[in-house]
Amino acid sequence: MAMDLKLLNPEQKKAVTHGEGPLLIVAGAGTGKTTVITQRLAWLIEQKKAKGNEILVLTFTDKAAGEMEERLDRLLPYGYLDLWVSTFHGFGQRILEQHALEVGLPNNFKLLSQTQQWMLIRQNFDRFNLDYYRPLGHPTKFISALVKHFSRCKDEDISPQEYLKYAEDLKLNSDSAEFIQNLLDEETRKQFTKKELKEVATQEIKKINELAGAYHVYQQLLLENSALDFGDLIIHCLKLFRERPAILARYRMQFKYVLVDEFQDTNWAQYEMVKLLAASKNNITVVGDDDQSIYKFRGASVSNILEFKKDYPKSEEVVLTKNYRSAQNILDLSYEFIKQNDPNRLEYKLSNFDKSAKSKKGKLESKISKELKAQKDLKGEIEHLHAETGDDEVKLVIEKIAALKKLDKEISWNDFAVLVRANEAANPFISGFASFGVPHQFVSSRGLYTKTVVLDIINYLKLLDNYHESSAMYRIMSMPIFSFDHRQIINLNYWAKRKNWSLYETFQRTSGIPNVSAETLASVRKLLSLIEKHSALTVEKNVSEIVYGFLEDSGYLKYLTGTDNIQYRQQVSFLNQFYKKIKEFEQASDDKSVKAFLASIELEIESGDLGSLTPNLDEGPEAVKIMTVHAAKGLEFKYVFVANLVDRRFPTTERRDPIELPDTLVKEIIPEGDIHLEEERRLFYVAMTRAKSGLYLTSAEDYGGATKKKLSRFLTELGAFGLKLAPGAKSRIKSSAEIEIAKDSDISFAIPKKFSFSQLRAYESCPWQYRYAFVLSIPIKGKSVFSFGQTIHSTLQRFFQAVIDRTSVHQRDLFGDKVESKKNRTVKAKDVISLDELLKIYEESWIDDWYESKKQKEEYRKKGIELLKNLYKGWEKSLPVPRSLEEWFNLKLSDDGEVYTLAGRIDRIDEGKDGKIEIIDYKTGSAKYEEKMKAEDKDQLLIYQLAAREVFGDKISGLTFHYVEDDHKVTFLGDEKELEKTRAKAVKLIKEIKKGQFTPKPGPLCKFCDFKDICEFRAY
């Protein structure tokens, strides 16, 4: 590997090539933070200071971790790479899955979402000894607040025992002057007598004891249910490292370097874990910017980055100020604005006060400067757009976007973003953009259950659960796929009300209702037939099978996937996310019925959860992005509109936690001053620094309230630095006819950054099939053979993992140090694991979906038992101890200067006495049907050979398909000619996919296609 450090500026290079010891990298907005941290990791590997698995990189989102891995994939040449790049919670989960038993946890624990935490408390509410926090009129009122409170306890590394002790000490010292002083400020205390103050203190102490007890009960419930929440992943890791020094020593030895991204977003517990791991070498690099710390509501402690120098007084600092994003005037205005947060800024904290200066006040000379310097010669426009009403504000934004797009033909809709402070503020822009025909995408992390396609499915399920749910029937009959005329819907509703029938009963009587057309009768029969069919299936089928049946039988899936436009593509994305939610419900529940699923959804909604969303901005198509400022963190746009800049909207009024942590228990250092206002300033600073060329600050006088809105104090503060109100603040708003909106661009398809064998195989078979499977990600109707195959695969994986663990032969990663292992890589099965244990693993791994009948399910279940008994019989004398399982790889394919990545996972790798390895892939079928190996199957293993030989060279003894049904193996090894042919074929297919043209290829294989029922091009 040869890194080109010449591409880095001097500060970046200094950060990347830092040797030993602690390093603080202060990375301002747009200064190449991700580049520096990935280049540093690559440099450490290149300089042989550490191997890939000896560097721990921690960040905050899966998206950020994925982006780092992609960049590292481009920097590093290896085909395999076991990198520890993950979120804090992902790291905690990985550690605990290996060592849970060491701290009294089950190693098969479930991870609960915030909504599942709420449901756990709700379902066991009688276990909580609550009084104040269980009001009679609304007993569950405080559950969400309790969940958040327990999360804050874990952010601060407060155990239930610590909380209980604090509460008990308060009871013993209820007259404590210090407690009363902390409880009430001096002016408030003067209003009470001593007796009244004691009563107030007694009430507060009682509430604190309630909370401490509730926290203890909650943790007990988690243990009883073999469950953890996200906070547990950190505090149990801390407990593990503190109580098991040998384990801590092992990971300290492994991780020679620790890198932390977005350090300003860490909480107290996360920072404590990092410090534990990094000691005593303290090769810790943290990258962050205190001015972009905007997640206090998630527990982030801005004090961590402010206190880093105290924790590591010998640390070096590198400040990145060369900005590669924005125009200089945008940067200057942003910098002057954020300096108002002094003295609670790192730049100020690291300042020296020069008393010898002539000025009476002295002079501040900071050791660092965070003033950003633009590296791009951009002409920046900063403007304040002010309107009379909120609707006019939306129109002003649309006018400006239209004008900019007309002025610059090279820009796309993706170059525009409208940033709002809260999700609700996005609604006027969403409806306004829709009415003016502006392509737009609302990027939100919640609201799945409010999306059209999801509401349609939920209401159809409600209808199956209760035929007489008229509101559900009304929604379903209003769907375009059923072709009900609007006047006919009104007519049927009229007769339902007149006769006091449900809409379902009205449908059953349509032949006797006046003025019902023949077309309506046909639609009625179609809908009733579907309801009858799917109602019968609810008795024995899982909810996912019912949903898929509705999508397919009604024609809804074909309707959604038949047109490529923004609206339909977004609905397909919502459908995918909802279907995934259904599958997660089924995996976690014994009762997988429609009724149980609806009950679960109702509980989620009751808890305040409208369904989490995972927006993917890379999916396309081109559209103006509407999002909150929090969601925009880490993104950049040519033109940014920051909306609703009026009093109480931005900055918002402070909302304290319904249940606050006692100050005595808080471990982080709380800065003095107006903490909320400073956080809002940082949020506004983040919004400003998203803009490259244009920053437009918008506001209005009237948002529908009783009084006119005052301008945001932020606009007033910016005015002190030269921002002026745009001429004609209440200029005439153009009508929709006067605003020229450019035609919507063609739909673009998201092309993956990595490819898999399954993708190549699908594209080779039919590009249109690839579009369904990997572009639209359409849910696939399951098959019994697939459910059975996955069950066997999971059983074998868990079985062999137990074999590895029990024989104490270390599972080695492909780039790890060579560890001592037994020369004999086989054992006698009975010495390690019994047949009964194998069959128990089989029962636990059983997938209960997509069997046509109970009879078929039982036949498959018995078949699996016989299959495993036969396998075990063969292992009685010689059971292989695998070298590794489920090994991921990244194979790089170079062609004409381009590098493509082919990713995959190998089921099993065995190692022989001679040190050579055998690559094994399981096949559930029988070898007797494989007289001649299929070319495409052979390609799969040849790709595995290409990837493995980058690590093992010629030490590959064979590529094996293990047909587990009759325990038969087919082994071969590719020669250079075959390998080159496979490589060239993969590159050719990847190049075709990257063109983004998916031409249908109908033929005999259509009858086996998963999408044959929705494809208009099928050949039969």
Side-chain angles (χ1 to χ4, degrees):
M1 172 176 55
M3 289 177 55
D4 190 357
L5 297 177
K6 293 178 182 177
L7 298 175
L8 304 176
N9 66 44
E11 294 77 23
Q12 290 175 331
K13 183 178 178 180
K14 182 180 178 183
V16 167
T17 59
H18 172 75
E20 310 296 308
L23 171 66
L24 171 63
I25 303 173
V26 182
T31 58
K33 168 183 67 68
T34 305
T35 296
V36 167
I37 201 166
T38 51
Q39 291 269 7
R40 174 157 175 74
L41 189 152
W43 181 81
L44 290 169
I45 295 172
E46 184 194 49
Q47 298 297 310
K48 302 189 184 307
K49 291 180 176 291
K51 296 181 175 68
N53 70 322
E54 294 174 338
I55 304 169
L56 174 63
V57 183
L58 297 170
T59 188
F60 281 84
T61 65
D62 291 324
K63 183 176 181 294
E67 183 182 348
M68 274 191 202
E69 286 189 337
E70 286 168 14
R71 294 198 186 193
L72 286 165
D73 187 49
R74 293 194 292 269
L75 284 171
L76 300 169
Y78 306 123
Y80 289 74
L81 196 62
D82 185 23
L83 292 172
W84 284 68
V85 179
S86 71
T87 63
F88 274 89
H89 293 122
F91 172 76
Q93 185 169 353
R94 186 171 178 178
I95 296 296
L96 290 177
E97 283 172 349
Q98 292 292 318
H99 306 289
L101 296 176
E102 296 280 352
V103 284
L105 299 173
N107 54 13
N108 61 339
F109 59 82
K110 297 173 291 188
L111 190 58
L112 302 187
S113 66
Q114 190 168 318
T115 299
Q116 289 169 324
Q117 293 170 251
W118 187 95
M119 292 165 69
L120 180 68
I121 295 174
R122 175 76 170 78
Q123 291 160 356
N124 296 275
F125 210 37
D126 57 332
R127 296 267 299 270
F128 290 83
N129 185 22
L130 299 174
D131 180 19
Y132 179 84
Y133 292 106
R134 189 175 185 168
L136 290 175
H138 189 184
T140 60
K141 174 183 177 181
F142 286 102
I143 292 182
S144 293
L146 287 169
V147 169
K148 188 173 182 181
H149 186 68
F150 301 153
S151 177
R152 284 289 296 123
C153 288
K154 293 172 186 182
D155 291 342
E156 296 288 330
D157 187 25
I158 301 167
S159 68
Q161 292 72 27
E162 188 177 352
Y163 208 150
L164 285 168
K165 185 179 184 306
Y166 168 73
E168 187 62 30
D169 288 347
L170 283 180
K171 277 201 290 188
L172 296 174
N173 300 281
S174 58
D175 294 329
S176 168
E178 181 183 356
F179 175 72
I180 295 173
Q181 187 172 343
N182 289 334
L183 186 65
L184 302 169
D185 59 54
E186 185 177 356
E187 287 301 315
T188 306
R189 290 198 300 273
K190 290 177 180 178
Q191 299 175 28
F192 294 94
T193 63
K194 286 186 177 181
K195 182 179 180 182
E196 289 172 334
L197 281 174
K198 187 173 181 178
E199 288 176 1
V200 171
T202 301
Q203 290 173 1
E204 288 302 312
I205 290 170
K206 184 180 178 183
K207 286 162 63 176
I208 288 171
N209 274 269
E210 267 191 48
L211 292 171
Y215 185 26
H216 176 72
V217 170
Y218 171 70
Q219 288 301 107
Q220 284 297 118
L221 282 171
L222 289 174
L223 284 173
E224 290 170 16
N225 288 273
S226 299
L228 302 181
D229 60 29
F230 281 94
D232 284 327
L233 296 175
I234 306 301
I235 65 164
H236 284 305
C237 257
L238 274 172
K239 183 180 180 182
L240 175 72
F241 292 151
R242 287 165 177 164
E243 297 181 1
R244 298 289 184 269
I247 293 175
L248 175 59
R250 168 184 163 183
Y251 285 107
R252 279 178 174 173
M253 188 177 298
Q254 176 180 345
F255 299 127
K256 296 178 180 178
Y257 294 87
V258 179
L259 284 68
V260 183
D261 188 25
E262 302 287 9
F263 183 61
Q264 75 278 352
D265 295 332
T266 54
N267 60 41
W268 171 271
Q270 289 165 341
Y271 187 25
E272 287 296 297
M273 184 176 72
V274 168
K275 286 191 285 189
L276 266 178
L277 282 168
S280 57
K281 295 185 291 289
N282 289 334
N283 287 331
I284 176 174
T285 298
V286 299
V287 187
D289 179 10
D290 58 301
D291 290 333
Q292 296 186 74
S293 178
I294 59 173
Y295 291 110
K296 182 168 179 57
F297 69 96
R298 292 183 187 169
S301 173
V302 71
S303 66
N304 286 347
I305 194 168
L306 298 177
E307 297 296 315
F308 185 81
K309 283 296 294 181
K310 291 183 181 178
D311 294 329
Y312 300 97
K314 294 183 180 180
S315 65
E316 283 195 36
E317 304 98 37
V318 176
V319 186
L320 306 180
T321 56
K322 291 184 172 65
N323 177 282
Y324 297 91
R325 176 188 299 160
S326 306
Q328 188 63 55
N329 60 333
I330 293 175
L331 297 176
D332 290 342
L333 188 66
S334 304
Y335 178 66
E336 293 299 329
F337 173 78
I338 198 60
K339 282 202 299 183
Q340 293 174 106
N341 271 359
D342 287 341
N344 292 324
R345 293 178 61 245
L346 187 64
E347 186 178 36
Y348 191 98
K349 294 279 185 183
L350 297 181
S351 298
N352 291 322
F353 192 69
D354 184 3
K355 294 181 179 179
S356 65
K358 292 181 179 179
S359 167
K360 291 181 181 180
K361 295 183 179 180
K363 182 182 179 184
L364 278 174
E365 292 185 350
S366 180
K367 294 179 183 177
I368 67 170
S369 171
K370 295 182 64 181
E371 188 172 0
L372 300 176
K373 300 298 181 183
Q375 302 301 297
K376 290 187 176 181
D377 186 16
L378 298 174
K379 183 182 179 182
E381 182 177 53
I382 305 172
E383 194 174 351
H384 175 205
L385 306 174
H386 187 62
E388 287 194 17
T389 68
D391 288 341
D392 287 343
E393 180 185 3
V394 174
K395 290 177 183 176
L396 271 178
V397 171
I398 294 172
E399 279 185 24
K400 190 67 181 181
I401 290 174
L404 289 167
K405 203 153 190 314
K406 188 176 181 180
L407 189 67
D408 186 351
K409 301 296 182 183
E410 298 299 316
I411 60 175
S412 75
W413 297 113
N414 288 336
D415 288 313
F416 299 94
V418 176
L419 306 185
V420 293
R421 178 62 183 84
N423 278 305
E424 294 73 19
N427 293 331
F429 289 94
I430 295 170
S431 57
F433 280 33
S435 63
F436 275 81
V438 178
H440 62 281
Q441 179 185 4
F442 176 46
V443 182
S444 175
S445 60
R446 58 188 176 91
L448 179 62
Y449 302 149
T450 66
K451 304 306 179 186
T452 300
V453 64
V454 176
L455 282 171
D456 289 341
I457 293 171
I458 290 175
N459 278 276
Y460 187 73
L461 295 177
K462 285 182 177 179
L463 198 54
L464 299 182
D465 188 50
N466 180 3
Y467 293 166
H468 303 294
E469 185 89 43
S470 288
S471 59
M473 180 63 106
Y474 177 79
R475 181 172 186 92
I476 299 306
M477 68 186 291
S478 300
M479 292 171 63
I481 55 173
F482 293 112
S483 305
F484 281 95
D485 180 84
H486 181 66
R487 288 168 297 180
Q488 292 290 321
I489 293 175
I490 293 173
N491 184 38
L492 292 172
N493 270 311
Y494 166 77
W495 285 102
K497 290 179 180 178
R498 178 171 173 175
K499 296 291 187 178
N500 199 25
W501 296 334
S502 67
L503 270 175
Y504 179 78
E505 291 172 311
T506 308
F507 269 44
Q508 290 180 313
R509 296 171 169 84
T510 46
S511 57
I513 294 176
N515 303 318
V516 176
S517 67
E519 291 81 2
T520 299
L521 284 172
S523 296
V524 165
R525 284 193 290 269
K526 176 184 176 181
L527 183 49
L528 287 177
S529 174
L530 284 174
I531 294 170
E532 182 179 349
K533 176 183 178 180
H534 297 143
S535 294
L537 292 175
T538 58
V539 178
E540 59 181 32
K541 297 293 184 182
N542 296 347
V543 61
S544 63
E545 296 177 68
I546 302 298
V547 168
Y548 195 91
F550 166 64
L551 293 171
E552 189 177 67
D553 298 340
S554 66
Y556 199 10
L557 195 55
K558 186 174 183 179
Y559 168 78
L560 288 174
T561 58
T563 305
D564 277 326
N565 66 28
I566 295 174
Q567 178 187 352
Y568 287 87
R569 285 284 296 278
Q570 287 184 345
Q571 291 302 319
V572 170
S573 177
F574 299 143
L575 169 62
N576 291 330
Q577 293 180 57
F578 187 60
Y579 197 76
K580 182 181 179 183
K581 184 90 175 176
I582 293 171
K583 298 302 290 183
E584 289 172 353
F585 162 80
E586 290 179 343
Q587 290 171 5
S589 307
D590 294 327
D591 186 351
K592 302 172 173 60
S593 66
V594 167
K595 185 179 285 292
F597 178 69
L598 287 174
S600 173
I601 292 291
E602 288 298 325
L603 272 175
E604 285 192 51
I605 294 172
E606 184 186 344
S607 76
D609 185 356
L610 294 178
S612 59
L613 283 164
T614 52
N616 185 352
L617 298 182
D618 296 328
E619 283 181 347
E622 287 186 11
V624 177
K625 303 300 185 287
I626 305 170
M627 62 178 74
T628 64
V629 183
H630 282 103
K633 177 77 186 304
L635 303 176
E636 59 183 39
F637 303 91
K638 191 166 186 177
Y639 303 106
V640 168
F641 295 80
V642 187
N644 292 179
L645 287 171
V646 293
D647 186 40
R648 300 195 178 189
R649 290 202 171 196
F650 204 173
T652 59
T653 305
E654 181 177 12
R655 293 182 182 178
R656 293 184 173 274
D657 289 341
I659 305 175
E660 293 188 322
L661 271 178
D663 289 343
T664 307
L665 290 175
V666 175
K667 296 173 182 176
E668 66 173 292
I669 299 171
I670 307 296
E672 296 180 0
D674 193 330
I675 300 170
H676 172 72
L677 180 59
E678 290 180 9
E679 175 98 351
E680 290 288 299
R681 273 205 196 99
R682 291 194 293 269
L683 194 59
F684 189 60
Y685 174 79
V686 166
M688 295 172 74
T689 54
R690 298 311 93 195
K692 295 180 182 179
S693 300
L695 175 63
Y696 305 98
L697 311 172
T698 75
S699 57
E701 291 185 4
D702 181 4
Y703 288 93
T707 59
K708 290 184 178 181
K709 289 285 187 182
K710 295 180 181 178
L711 286 178
S712 165
R713 66 175 290 164
F714 290 166
L715 287 173
T716 305
E717 291 172 358
L718 287 173
F721 309 122
L723 178 68
K724 296 179 180 179
L725 197 67
K730 301 176 187 177
S731 58
R732 184 182 72 85
I733 306 296
K734 295 179 182 178
S735 67
S736 57
E738 293 177 288
I739 299 176
E740 295 182 17
I741 301 297
K743 294 286 185 182
D744 193 356
S745 58
D746 292 334
I747 296 297
S748 57
F749 293 98
I751 304 300
K753 296 179 176 66
K754 293 183 181 181
F755 298 85
S756 67
F757 175 75
S758 298
Q759 287 174 300
L760 302 190
R761 192 171 189 172
Y763 186 85
E764 184 181 23
S765 174
C766 174
W768 199 247
Q769 180 192 41
Y770 174 91
R771 170 185 174 271
Y772 279 130
F774 297 104
V775 175
L776 299 178
S777 302
I778 301 299
I780 297 174
K781 183 179 181 180
K783 297 176 183 177
S784 55
V785 66
F786 292 158
S787 294
F788 180 69
Q790 289 173 21
T791 297
I792 296 298
H793 186 281
S794 176
T795 300
L796 293 176
Q797 195 276 336
R798 290 181 58 189
F799 171 79
F800 278 111
Q801 185 61 57
V803 171
I804 291 171
D805 294 340
R806 294 183 188 185
T807 53
S808 300
V809 177
H810 299 287
Q811 181 178 347
R812 297 179 296 177
D813 65 271
L814 292 174
F815 275 94
D817 283 333
K818 189 173 183 180
V819 297
E820 267 189 49
S821 61
K822 298 179 181 179
K823 288 184 178 179
N824 186 2
R825 303 289 295 181
T826 61
V827 293
K828 291 181 180 180
K830 64 180 181 180
D831 293 338
V832 179
I833 189 167
S834 68
L835 174 61
D836 287 342
E837 286 180 278
L838 172 58
L839 296 180
K840 183 181 179 183
I841 292 173
Y842 172 65
E843 288 301 320
E844 291 173 349
S845 303
W846 179 259
I847 297 172
D848 214 31
D849 302 340
W850 301 107
Y851 293 98
E852 295 176 6
S853 63
K854 289 182 179 179
K855 181 181 178 183
Q856 186 193 49
K857 186 191 300 182
E858 284 308 308
E859 288 173 351
Y860 266 107
R861 195 186 291 272
K862 289 177 182 177
K863 177 182 176 180
I865 292 172
E866 293 305 313
L867 179 156
L868 292 170
K869 284 181 177 178
N870 184 50
L871 287 174
Y872 190 84
K873 186 177 180 181
W875 293 328
E876 284 180 340
K877 293 183 179 179
S878 181
L879 172 66
V881 180
R883 185 186 195 282
S884 61
L885 301 171
E886 303 281 332
E887 194 72 72
W888 286 95
F889 66 83
N890 291 324
L891 172 63
K892 294 198 174 176
L893 304 172
S894 300
D895 188 79
D896 295 333
E898 291 288 330
V899 179
Y900 310 110
T901 300
L902 196 56
R905 184 172 60 182
I906 299 172
D907 287 347
R908 197 174 101 208
I909 297 178
D910 287 357
E911 185 175 6
K913 293 180 182 179
D914 57 1
K916 290 192 173 183
I917 63 120
E918 178 186 7
I919 293 172
I920 299 167
D921 191 75
Y922 300 124
K923 294 289 184 185
T924 316
S926 171
K928 66 184 178 182
Y929 300 115
E930 302 290 339
E931 296 174 3
K932 186 176 180 181
M933 188 177 294
K934 294 178 182 177
E936 58 265 31
D937 286 340
K938 197 170 182 179
D939 282 344
Q940 179 184 356
L941 288 189
L942 287 171
I943 287 171
Y944 292 176
Q945 183 180 344
L946 281 168
R949 77 173 183 174
E950 291 194 13
V951 177
F952 301 107
D954 295 329
K955 293 183 179 181
I956 304 172
S957 62
L959 312 172
T960 298
F961 279 123
H962 186 179
Y963 296 93
V964 295
E965 187 172 324
D966 50 15
D967 194 16
H968 182 78
K969 295 181 179 180
V970 178
T971 302
F972 70 100
L973 192 65
D975 56 30
E976 287 302 320
K977 186 177 179 181
E978 288 177 305
L979 291 171
E980 176 54 31
K981 183 179 177 182
T982 300
R983 191 202 71 82
K985 181 180 177 181
V987 168
K988 180 184 176 184
L989 288 170
I990 289 172
K991 284 183 174 181
E992 289 297 316
I993 293 172
K994 288 180 76 70
K995 291 178 182 177
Q997 299 172 356
F998 307 109
T999 306
K1001 194 164 79 175
L1005 292 177
C1006 285
K1007 65 177 70 175
F1008 304 110
C1009 179
D1010 291 319
F1011 310 104
K1012 60 181 181 295
D1013 294 323
I1014 63 172
C1015 180
E1016 60 187 296
F1017 302 106
R1018 64 190 182 192
Y1020 70 98

